[in-house]
């Protein structure tokens, strides 16, 4: 199911075609960081793969780096539900990986695939990218609870997903930050 990308009167946005398709990609910034925001199961990882596929068609796949919260959950042997403390720990680790990835200079196109429903870590990722010379964009995915529950591949409760949806709706990104409207990727 295609998520809702409601801009909620956010005036600072661009269409994904301005970054990925010609002729816009010729004028795009050299270093791009895209931060995805959405509740568990909202379709962030699927969208990351759509972006990666399109970027690989027209660019170099080796330039792309995806930092995903799912990598931390999938490598953790504990099958119990993850606590908020675990998620915070994983996000801190992702932030360290982002700093290292940028410092290493091997990737010019980085995507952060994590819920980022509250603004704390979103702002940390954004600030890191900005301070290190990347043009930073955000994509916010809004999806119905029942769709998120059905699509979620992690051991997350319905209450946790609803909490993420509520937090995302309450904590919109600052109006000075640029949102990407990715609908064109779903039309292909």
């Amino acid at each position: 199911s295609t998520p809702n990308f409601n801009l909620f009167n956010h005036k600072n946005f661009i269409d994904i075609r301005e970054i990925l398709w010609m002729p816009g990609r010729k004028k795009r910034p050299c270093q791009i960081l895209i931060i995805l925001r959405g509740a568990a199961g909202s379709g962030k990882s699927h969208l990351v793969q759509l972006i990666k596929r399109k970027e690989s068609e027209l660019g170099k796949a080796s330039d792309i780096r995806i930092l995903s919260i799912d990598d931390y959950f999938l490598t953790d042997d504990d099958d119990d539900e993850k606590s908020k403390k675990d998620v915070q720990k994983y996000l801190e680790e992702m932030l360290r990986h982002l700093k290292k990835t940028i410092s290493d200079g091997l990737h010019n196109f980085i995507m952060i695939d994590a819920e980022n429903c509250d603004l704390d870590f979103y702002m940390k990722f954004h600030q890191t990218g900005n301070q290190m010379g990347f043009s930073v964009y955000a994509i916010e995915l809004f999806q119905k609870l029942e769709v998120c529950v059905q699509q979620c591949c992690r051991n997350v409760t319905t209450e946790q997903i609803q909490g993420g949806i509520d937090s995302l709706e309450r904590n919109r990104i600052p109006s000075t930050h640029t949102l990407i409207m990715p609908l064109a990727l779903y039309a292909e």
Side-chain angles (χ1 to χ4, degrees):
S1 173
T2 302
N4 179 6
F5 301 100
N6 194 333
L7 298 174
F8 293 105
N9 297 320
H10 196 89
K11 294 180 180 22
N12 195 11
F13 69 94
I14 63 170
D15 189 290
I16 191 73
R17 291 174 286 204
E18 294 179 45
I19 294 176
L20 297 180
W21 275 260
M22 290 294 195
R25 73 181 288 114
K26 284 185 176 183
K27 297 181 276 184
R28 76 181 191 186
C30 296
Q31 297 176 306
I32 296 171
L33 172 63
I34 299 176
I35 306 167
L36 284 89
R37 300 183 71 218
S42 63
K44 295 177 302 299
S45 297
H46 175 70
L47 180 55
V48 162
Q49 292 309 313
L50 292 175
I51 294 170
K52 180 180 178 184
R53 186 178 320 129
K54 189 62 167 177
E55 178 63 15
S56 296
E57 286 173 13
L58 300 170
K60 293 189 325 192
S62 61
D63 284 346
I64 303 168
R65 176 74 166 111
I66 300 167
L67 300 175
S68 174
I69 193 86
D70 292 341
D71 294 340
Y72 297 89
F73 282 99
L74 294 174
T75 58
D76 196 335
D77 293 332
D78 183 9
D79 283 0
D80 296 331
E81 289 177 13
K82 301 301 175 217
S83 69
K84 190 170 177 95
K85 186 174 119 185
D86 292 329
V87 172
Q88 295 293 333
K89 179 180 75 171
Y90 295 153
L91 288 169
E92 287 287 352
E93 189 62 28
M94 283 181 72
L95 185 59
R96 279 192 290 279
H97 279 127
L98 175 62
K99 291 175 182 176
K100 180 170 179 3
T101 297
I102 292 173
S103 294
D104 290 349
L106 301 176
H107 305 281
N108 294 320
F109 197 110
I110 303 170
M111 290 184 277
I112 302 289
D113 176 8
E115 292 172 19
N116 293 302
C117 290
D118 63 23
L119 285 178
D120 184 38
F121 273 95
Y122 165 80
M123 293 300 288
K124 289 177 183 178
F125 289 133
H126 191 281
Q127 182 179 24
T128 298
N130 232 356
Q131 287 176 343
M132 299 181 95
F134 275 66
S135 294
V136 183
Y137 303 94
I139 300 176
E140 295 182 317
L141 293 86
F142 296 89
Q143 189 61 274
K144 294 178 183 173
L145 175 63
E146 53 273 8
V147 175
C148 290
V149 169
Q150 182 182 18
Q151 293 181 161
C152 188
C153 62
R154 296 192 334 248
N155 189 12
V156 180
T157 67
T158 301
E159 292 77 23
Q160 288 170 318
I161 293 172
Q162 184 64 59
I165 292 169
D166 294 344
S167 182
L168 184 69
E169 289 174 355
R170 276 192 317 273
N171 298 296
R172 300 305 307 274
I173 67 168
S175 61
T176 55
H177 294 196
T178 305
L179 278 172
I180 294 176
M181 178 57 72
L183 282 175
L185 289 166
Y186 293 90
E188 291 205 332

mmCIF file of all heavy atoms in Angstrom, residues 30-31 60 62-65 97-110 132 134:
data_model
loop_
_atom_site.group_PDB
_atom_site.id
_atom_site.type_symbol
_atom_site.label_atom_id
_atom_site.label_comp_id
_atom_site.label_asym_id
_atom_site.label_seq_id
_atom_site.Cartn_x
_atom_site.Cartn_y
_atom_site.Cartn_z
ATOM 1 N N CYS A 30 26.214 17.345 -4.800
ATOM 2 C CA CYS A 30 27.155 16.218 -4.928
ATOM 3 C C CYS A 30 27.010 15.213 -3.792
ATOM 4 O O CYS A 30 27.295 14.029 -3.977
ATOM 5 C CB CYS A 30 28.590 16.730 -4.953
ATOM 6 S SG CYS A 30 28.940 17.763 -6.372
ATOM 7 N N GLN A 31 26.624 15.688 -2.626
ATOM 8 C CA GLN A 31 26.504 14.810 -1.459
ATOM 9 C C GLN A 31 25.095 14.945 -0.880
ATOM 10 O O GLN A 31 24.677 16.033 -0.496
ATOM 11 C CB GLN A 31 27.545 15.177 -0.409
ATOM 12 C CG GLN A 31 28.968 14.968 -0.913
ATOM 13 C CD GLN A 31 29.991 15.419 0.099
ATOM 14 O OE1 GLN A 31 29.945 16.549 0.569
ATOM 15 N NE2 GLN A 31 30.906 14.526 0.438
ATOM 16 N N LYS A 60 25.881 5.307 -9.890
ATOM 17 C CA LYS A 60 26.712 4.189 -9.443
ATOM 18 C C LYS A 60 26.162 3.645 -8.140
ATOM 19 O O LYS A 60 26.062 4.370 -7.153
ATOM 20 C CB LYS A 60 28.151 4.645 -9.233
ATOM 21 C CG LYS A 60 28.861 5.041 -10.508
ATOM 22 C CD LYS A 60 30.338 5.276 -10.346
ATOM 23 C CE LYS A 60 30.743 5.881 -9.048
ATOM 24 N NZ LYS A 60 32.102 6.367 -8.986
ATOM 25 N N SER A 62 27.577 1.819 -6.089
ATOM 26 C CA SER A 62 28.597 1.821 -5.037
ATOM 27 C C SER A 62 28.628 3.134 -4.255
ATOM 28 O O SER A 62 29.180 3.195 -3.166
ATOM 29 C CB SER A 62 29.977 1.540 -5.640
ATOM 30 O OG SER A 62 30.311 2.553 -6.569
ATOM 31 N N ASP A 63 28.035 4.202 -4.821
ATOM 32 C CA ASP A 63 27.991 5.489 -4.112
ATOM 33 C C ASP A 63 26.932 5.512 -3.020
ATOM 34 O O ASP A 63 26.920 6.393 -2.184
ATOM 35 C CB ASP A 63 27.698 6.623 -5.095
ATOM 36 C CG ASP A 63 28.910 6.995 -5.923
ATOM 37 O OD1 ASP A 63 30.020 6.574 -5.569
ATOM 38 O OD2 ASP A 63 28.735 7.711 -6.927
ATOM 39 N N ILE A 64 26.011 4.545 -3.040
ATOM 40 C CA ILE A 64 24.878 4.538 -2.121
ATOM 41 C C ILE A 64 25.219 3.786 -0.842
ATOM 42 O O ILE A 64 25.757 2.692 -0.877
ATOM 43 C CB ILE A 64 23.652 3.874 -2.776
ATOM 44 C CG1 ILE A 64 23.282 4.598 -4.076
ATOM 45 C CG2 ILE A 64 22.466 3.852 -1.814
ATOM 46 C CD1 ILE A 64 22.281 3.850 -4.911
ATOM 47 N N ARG A 65 24.855 4.384 0.292
ATOM 48 C CA ARG A 65 25.020 3.716 1.593
ATOM 49 C C ARG A 65 23.703 3.828 2.333
ATOM 50 O O ARG A 65 23.157 4.921 2.475
ATOM 51 C CB ARG A 65 26.148 4.385 2.387
ATOM 52 C CG ARG A 65 26.336 3.849 3.784
ATOM 53 C CD ARG A 65 26.996 2.472 3.753
ATOM 54 N NE ARG A 65 27.463 2.117 5.069
ATOM 55 C CZ ARG A 65 26.927 1.138 5.803
ATOM 56 N NH1 ARG A 65 25.960 0.421 5.331
ATOM 57 N NH2 ARG A 65 27.421 0.881 6.992
ATOM 58 N N HIS A 97 27.790 5.459 13.027
ATOM 59 C CA HIS A 97 28.064 4.932 11.681
ATOM 60 C C HIS A 97 27.905 6.016 10.613
ATOM 61 O O HIS A 97 28.660 6.042 9.645
ATOM 62 C CB HIS A 97 27.162 3.741 11.361
ATOM 63 C CG HIS A 97 27.653 2.461 11.939
ATOM 64 N ND1 HIS A 97 26.863 1.655 12.713
ATOM 65 C CD2 HIS A 97 28.860 1.848 11.874
ATOM 66 C CE1 HIS A 97 27.555 0.600 13.093
ATOM 67 N NE2 HIS A 97 28.774 0.705 12.618
ATOM 68 N N LEU A 98 26.926 6.896 10.796
ATOM 69 C CA LEU A 98 26.762 7.995 9.841
ATOM 70 C C LEU A 98 28.000 8.884 9.841
ATOM 71 O O LEU A 98 28.534 9.216 8.779
ATOM 72 C CB LEU A 98 25.515 8.821 10.174
ATOM 73 C CG LEU A 98 25.311 10.072 9.308
ATOM 74 C CD1 LEU A 98 25.139 9.702 7.837
ATOM 75 C CD2 LEU A 98 24.125 10.880 9.822
ATOM 76 N N LYS A 99 28.466 9.260 11.024
ATOM 77 C CA LYS A 99 29.662 10.113 11.118
ATOM 78 C C LYS A 99 30.863 9.441 10.470
ATOM 79 O O LYS A 99 31.616 10.069 9.728
ATOM 80 C CB LYS A 99 29.954 10.454 12.581
ATOM 81 C CG LYS A 99 28.932 11.385 13.191
ATOM 82 C CD LYS A 99 29.178 11.605 14.674
ATOM 83 C CE LYS A 99 28.108 12.509 15.267
ATOM 84 N NZ LYS A 99 28.255 12.673 16.718
ATOM 85 N N LYS A 100 31.037 8.140 10.724
ATOM 86 C CA LYS A 100 32.162 7.412 10.139
ATOM 87 C C LYS A 100 32.012 7.293 8.627
ATOM 88 O O LYS A 100 32.975 7.494 7.876
ATOM 89 C CB LYS A 100 32.292 6.029 10.759
ATOM 90 C CG LYS A 100 33.464 5.231 10.184
ATOM 91 C CD LYS A 100 33.742 3.980 10.937
ATOM 92 C CE LYS A 100 34.872 3.152 10.405
ATOM 93 N NZ LYS A 100 35.645 3.605 9.300
ATOM 94 N N THR A 101 30.813 6.999 8.166
ATOM 95 C CA THR A 101 30.564 6.869 6.727
ATOM 96 C C THR A 101 30.891 8.171 6.007
ATOM 97 O O THR A 101 31.555 8.167 4.969
ATOM 98 C CB THR A 101 29.091 6.467 6.474
ATOM 99 O OG1 THR A 101 28.854 5.186 7.061
ATOM 100 C CG2 THR A 101 28.777 6.406 4.992
ATOM 101 N N ILE A 102 30.456 9.283 6.577
ATOM 102 C CA ILE A 102 30.744 10.579 5.955
ATOM 103 C C ILE A 102 32.232 10.882 6.019
ATOM 104 O O ILE A 102 32.840 11.314 5.037
ATOM 105 C CB ILE A 102 29.898 11.694 6.606
ATOM 106 C CG1 ILE A 102 28.417 11.487 6.273
ATOM 107 C CG2 ILE A 102 30.371 13.064 6.137
ATOM 108 C CD1 ILE A 102 27.477 12.435 6.995
ATOM 109 N N SER A 103 32.860 10.631 7.166
ATOM 110 C CA SER A 103 34.296 10.899 7.328
ATOM 111 C C SER A 103 35.141 10.066 6.374
ATOM 112 O O SER A 103 36.145 10.546 5.854
ATOM 113 C CB SER A 103 34.733 10.614 8.762
ATOM 114 O OG SER A 103 34.130 11.517 9.650
ATOM 115 N N ASP A 104 34.740 8.813 6.146
ATOM 116 C CA ASP A 104 35.488 7.942 5.236
ATOM 117 C C ASP A 104 35.424 8.432 3.789
ATOM 118 O O ASP A 104 36.299 8.115 2.992
ATOM 119 C CB ASP A 104 34.972 6.502 5.308
ATOM 120 C CG ASP A 104 35.319 5.813 6.616
ATOM 121 O OD1 ASP A 104 36.139 6.359 7.394
ATOM 122 O OD2 ASP A 104 34.755 4.723 6.872
ATOM 123 N N GLY A 105 34.375 9.182 3.439
ATOM 124 C CA GLY A 105 34.264 9.781 2.112
ATOM 125 C C GLY A 105 34.022 8.812 0.971
ATOM 126 O O GLY A 105 34.290 9.140 -0.182
ATOM 127 N N LEU A 106 33.513 7.627 1.260
ATOM 128 C CA LEU A 106 33.314 6.625 0.206
ATOM 129 C C LEU A 106 31.933 6.684 -0.435
ATOM 130 O O LEU A 106 31.721 6.109 -1.507
ATOM 131 C CB LEU A 106 33.543 5.216 0.771
ATOM 132 C CG LEU A 106 34.929 4.955 1.356
ATOM 133 C CD1 LEU A 106 34.985 3.562 1.976
ATOM 134 C CD2 LEU A 106 35.994 5.120 0.291
ATOM 135 N N HIS A 107 30.998 7.360 0.208
ATOM 136 C CA HIS A 107 29.618 7.379 -0.273
ATOM 137 C C HIS A 107 29.104 8.811 -0.350
ATOM 138 O O HIS A 107 29.219 9.569 0.614
ATOM 139 C CB HIS A 107 28.717 6.551 0.646
ATOM 140 C CG HIS A 107 29.195 5.143 0.819
ATOM 141 N ND1 HIS A 107 28.993 4.173 -0.123
ATOM 142 C CD2 HIS A 107 29.883 4.556 1.817
ATOM 143 C CE1 HIS A 107 29.525 3.039 0.292
ATOM 144 N NE2 HIS A 107 30.088 3.247 1.467
ATOM 145 N N ASN A 108 28.522 9.146 -1.492
ATOM 146 C CA ASN A 108 27.966 10.480 -1.697
ATOM 147 C C ASN A 108 26.454 10.511 -1.609
ATOM 148 O O ASN A 108 25.852 11.566 -1.744
ATOM 149 C CB ASN A 108 28.401 11.029 -3.062
ATOM 150 C CG ASN A 108 29.883 11.253 -3.107
ATOM 151 O OD1 ASN A 108 30.473 11.719 -2.148
ATOM 152 N ND2 ASN A 108 30.502 10.902 -4.220
ATOM 153 N N PHE A 109 25.840 9.343 -1.426
ATOM 154 C CA PHE A 109 24.389 9.230 -1.360
ATOM 155 C C PHE A 109 24.076 8.303 -0.188
ATOM 156 O O PHE A 109 24.318 7.103 -0.263
ATOM 157 C CB PHE A 109 23.847 8.653 -2.668
ATOM 158 C CG PHE A 109 22.384 8.858 -2.883
ATOM 159 C CD1 PHE A 109 21.931 9.729 -3.861
ATOM 160 C CD2 PHE A 109 21.448 8.167 -2.131
ATOM 161 C CE1 PHE A 109 20.581 9.908 -4.087
ATOM 162 C CE2 PHE A 109 20.091 8.337 -2.344
ATOM 163 C CZ PHE A 109 19.649 9.215 -3.328
ATOM 164 N N ILE A 110 23.587 8.871 0.909
ATOM 165 C CA ILE A 110 23.345 8.107 2.133
ATOM 166 C C ILE A 110 21.870 8.221 2.504
ATOM 167 O O ILE A 110 21.279 9.297 2.407
ATOM 168 C CB ILE A 110 24.219 8.632 3.295
ATOM 169 C CG1 ILE A 110 25.701 8.581 2.923
ATOM 170 C CG2 ILE A 110 23.949 7.832 4.576
ATOM 171 C CD1 ILE A 110 26.616 9.292 3.906
ATOM 172 N N MET A 132 28.661 18.261 7.986
ATOM 173 C CA MET A 132 29.710 17.573 7.229
ATOM 174 C C MET A 132 29.553 17.772 5.717
ATOM 175 O O MET A 132 30.121 17.039 4.919
ATOM 176 C CB MET A 132 29.749 16.101 7.623
ATOM 177 C CG MET A 132 30.082 15.948 9.124
ATOM 178 S SD MET A 132 30.169 14.264 9.694
ATOM 179 C CE MET A 132 31.929 13.965 9.549
ATOM 180 N N PHE A 134 26.801 17.723 3.623
ATOM 181 C CA PHE A 134 25.790 17.039 2.832
ATOM 182 C C PHE A 134 24.532 17.901 2.728
ATOM 183 O O PHE A 134 24.202 18.639 3.662
ATOM 184 C CB PHE A 134 25.417 15.694 3.467
ATOM 185 C CG PHE A 134 26.325 14.569 3.070
ATOM 186 C CD1 PHE A 134 27.657 14.556 3.455
ATOM 187 C CD2 PHE A 134 25.853 13.518 2.302
ATOM 188 C CE1 PHE A 134 28.504 13.531 3.086
ATOM 189 C CE2 PHE A 134 26.686 12.482 1.923
ATOM 190 C CZ PHE A 134 28.014 12.482 2.315
#
